[in-house]
Each structure stands twice: as structure tokens, then as C-alpha cells.
Amino acid sequence: MPEQPPFDQQGAIAATGMGGAMDLAASEAETLEKTPGGPLGTGPQEKPRSLWSDAWRDLRRNPVFIVAGLVILFLVVISVWPSLIASQNPLKCDLAKAQQGSQPGHPFGFDGQGCDVYTRTVYGTRVSITVGVCATLGVAILGSVLGGLAGYFGGASDGILSRITDIFFAIPVVLGGLVLLSVVTSNTVWPVIGFMVLLGWPQISRIARGSVITTKQNDYVQAARALGASNSRMLLRHITPNAIAPVIVVATIALGTYISLEATLSYLGVGLKPPTVSWGIDISSASAYIRQAPHMLLWPAGALAITVLAFIMLGDAVRDALDPKLR
């Protein structure tokens, strides 16, 4: 009978001869399987990160994004619940205190009608945030849909949309607001929001059109088309997620611009009107008393500047995170 290979006390093959070589090969294979990437990259690979996961990772490490985000979060909270930090009525005024400076319980002083400047500054945040967010959403949705469809289908629809956007680009924004809003008698924010959407969508449309034209030429889109994917599936599953980043960047920056535009139109008297509490209205009323009572102008103007700056900083941080050329 052939001689049996020797065994140790645990019953394992001794590390001699052919048995030891087989044991070593088995242990090496097990080690390679547990090693990420395997030999020469043939083993299990780490799941690749998407553009959005990379962008979120960069944003969390960006101090500009963190500071701007905290400021915007604070502004959103006080716009929803202004009574958290302002307990008085912004429309309650006392003419006996008109133009007076800071007093206990009234840190920002009083305006020309004797209203508390601090309370009106806090409550003015609600109007500015509402106008900025609603106008940005309307512009982004309308511009993205029109520009995306024109860029995807091309042809006559693309040419017609391009000529229409050229017409809207030729209209000065402030002059258009003076003309269109001068005939509006409503004291709500919706006419102002509608005007901003009407004149703001061409910019987003141009950006969405160019982004869709670039995206639809990629190989994965061509492959989906060759496999018979419908137009709706192509747009929703393959093109929109990969073409929406430039629209988000521009819309984020434009939000601060719309807040500034609302204040400008209200300052000129064609935007929001009293008794609506708005920073633009307060700045307009305080401009006549800038020498006698500069505090009336500085506080609402400072709040407006901080808000616009926060959204612009947020947009810059988002742009840096989503733009592959800046990586």
C-alpha cells in the first residue's frame, strides 16, 4: 500500500511536500479574496461615487458653504417663526417715538412713523425669503422644462425658443418692472413673483438647453437610445439627472438676485406696498431721514446685504462642488 502523508495533532496536512504547497496556495487565495481590489484589480471593487456624493462630500468640508448654510437656515427659521426673536407687532407705531434711537427693548430704535425698526427688520425676512424662493422655483422649473425640451428635440422648436429668449433678454429688468407692476394694485407678493418668473426664465432656459445638448451626446445616452428607450425615459432617467447641475448652480446664485430685485422694486414704489413689511419699503422710507436718523436705513439695508451675500456664497460653493473643471 502507498505510504500515507503525515498528519499533525489537529489532523492538518503537514507543511511538507505536495500537501504544504497546496495549503500555501489555498491560504494565499483566501488572503487575496479578502483584500479589496484583489490581485491586479481583479477582485471586488469599491463602489464608485457619483457626482452628487462627491459634491456633498466637498460641501461638508467647505467653510464657505457651512457659514452660508447656517446664515440661511437662521433666516428661514425667523421667516417662518418671527415671533421667536421679535415679540412686538411690526405695524404698531407711536409717533411720539419717531426717529428715536436705541432704547431698552428696542435695540434698533424707531422709524419715521414710530414703528420698532428691529421688529420690522425681523418680519421683513419673511417677504424676502418667500419672494426669493418662490421666484427661483418658478424660474428653474419653467426654464428647465422649456430649455430641456428644446435642446433634446431640436429643430423648429429649438429655433423658436431661441428667438423668444432673445426678445426677453432685450427687456431691461428694472424698466420692465416699472412698466408692468405700475398697473398692479395688489398688495401681495404674487405679482412680484410672477414678474420675476416672466423675465427670469430665459437665462435658465439657455443653460438647460446647452446642458441637455451636451449630455445627450454621451455614450450611455446613445446606448439607451439604441436599446429602444422612449423619449420620456431618456429625459427622466438618463439626461435630467446628469444635466441638472448647471441649473442648480445658477438658480442658487439667482435667488439672492431676486431678493435684491424685490427690494429695488419696492424701493421704487412699484413692488410691494404698505402695509406689507418689506426691507425695500423700509429703506425707501428711511432714505429721506438718512442724516437725522441713519439707524432707520442701516439695519434693514444691512439685513438685505447679509441675506443676498449668504445666497451668493452658497451658490459659489455649490458651483465649486458641482463643476468638474474646478476639481
Side-chain angles (χ1 to χ4, degrees):
M1 294 181 62
E3 183 180 356
Q4 298 294 330
F7 286 80
D8 59 12
Q9 293 182 355
Q10 282 96 16
I13 299 177
T16 59
M18 185 62 68
M22 292 176 62
D23 236 3
L24 179 59
S27 63
E28 288 180 349
E30 183 179 358
T31 303
L32 290 174
E33 287 180 359
K34 294 180 180 179
T35 303
L40 300 178
T42 58
Q45 298 289 332
E46 183 181 356
K47 184 178 180 181
R49 292 190 297 265
S50 64
L51 171 65
W52 302 103
S53 61
D54 280 344
W56 175 239
R57 183 189 62 177
D58 293 342
L59 288 174
R60 287 181 299 175
R61 300 176 180 178
N62 190 341
V64 174
F65 172 79
I66 296 175
V67 172
L70 291 176
V71 172
I72 293 173
L73 179 62
F74 172 74
L75 293 172
V76 170
V77 170
I78 65 173
S79 67
V80 178
W81 298 288
S83 57
L84 290 176
I85 61 173
S87 59
Q88 302 186 32
N89 187 347
L91 301 179
K92 182 179 180 181
C93 306
D94 185 0
L95 286 175
K97 299 180 179 179
Q99 303 182 31
Q100 293 184 9
S102 176
Q103 297 180 6
H106 306 278
F108 293 176
F110 299 88
D111 63 8
Q113 300 297 323
C115 303
D116 183 52
V117 176
Y118 171 78
T119 304
R120 290 186 63 87
T121 301
V122 171
Y123 276 82
T125 308
R126 173 180 294 177
V127 170
S128 296
I129 296 296
T130 301
V131 170
V133 171
C134 292
T136 301
L137 289 176
V139 167
I141 293 173
L142 181 60
S144 298
V145 171
L146 294 179
L149 293 177
Y152 179 76
F153 291 104
S157 60
D158 188 15
I160 294 174
L161 181 68
S162 297
R163 301 294 76 77
I164 293 176
T165 55
D166 290 339
I167 294 173
F168 277 92
F169 276 128
I171 301 175
V173 177
V174 176
L175 180 59
L178 289 173
V179 174
L180 295 178
L181 295 178
S182 60
V183 298
V184 177
T185 58
S186 175
N187 290 330
T188 64
V189 299
W190 300 113
V192 178
I193 295 174
F195 162 74
M196 294 181 181
V197 173
L198 179 63
L199 293 187
W201 70 267
Q203 180 187 15
I204 297 294
S205 177
R206 283 273 180 93
I207 295 172
R209 173 184 174 273
S211 183
V212 168
I213 290 176
T214 302
T215 303
K216 74 176 184 178
Q217 298 174 358
N218 292 330
D219 293 338
Y220 59 86
V221 177
Q222 300 299 329
R225 188 190 304 275
L227 292 174
S230 62
N231 289 329
S232 59
R233 181 179 179 84
M234 295 272 291
L235 285 169
L236 296 177
R237 294 291 302 273
H238 302 288
I239 293 181
T240 300
N242 296 283
I244 198 67
V247 174
I248 294 177
V249 172
V250 175
T252 305
I253 298 176
L255 199 155
T257 304
Y258 294 137
I259 293 176
S260 178
L261 179 59
E262 178 274 319
T264 301
L265 295 175
S266 298
Y267 177 86
L268 296 174
V270 296
L272 301 177
K273 302 175 179 63
T276 305
V277 180
S278 167
W279 290 334
I281 295 175
D282 290 350
I283 293 172
S284 177
S285 302
S287 60
Y289 306 97
I290 188 171
R291 293 186 177 181
Q292 297 90 340
H295 66 275
M296 296 170 48
L297 176 65
L298 294 179
W299 292 113
L304 175 63
I306 292 174
T307 303
V308 174
L309 179 61
F311 280 105
I312 291 177
M313 292 171 58
L314 181 70
D316 288 341
V318 173
R319 180 199 60 195
D320 295 342
L322 292 178
D323 191 351
K325 298 178 182 179
L326 299 177
R327 293 183 178 275

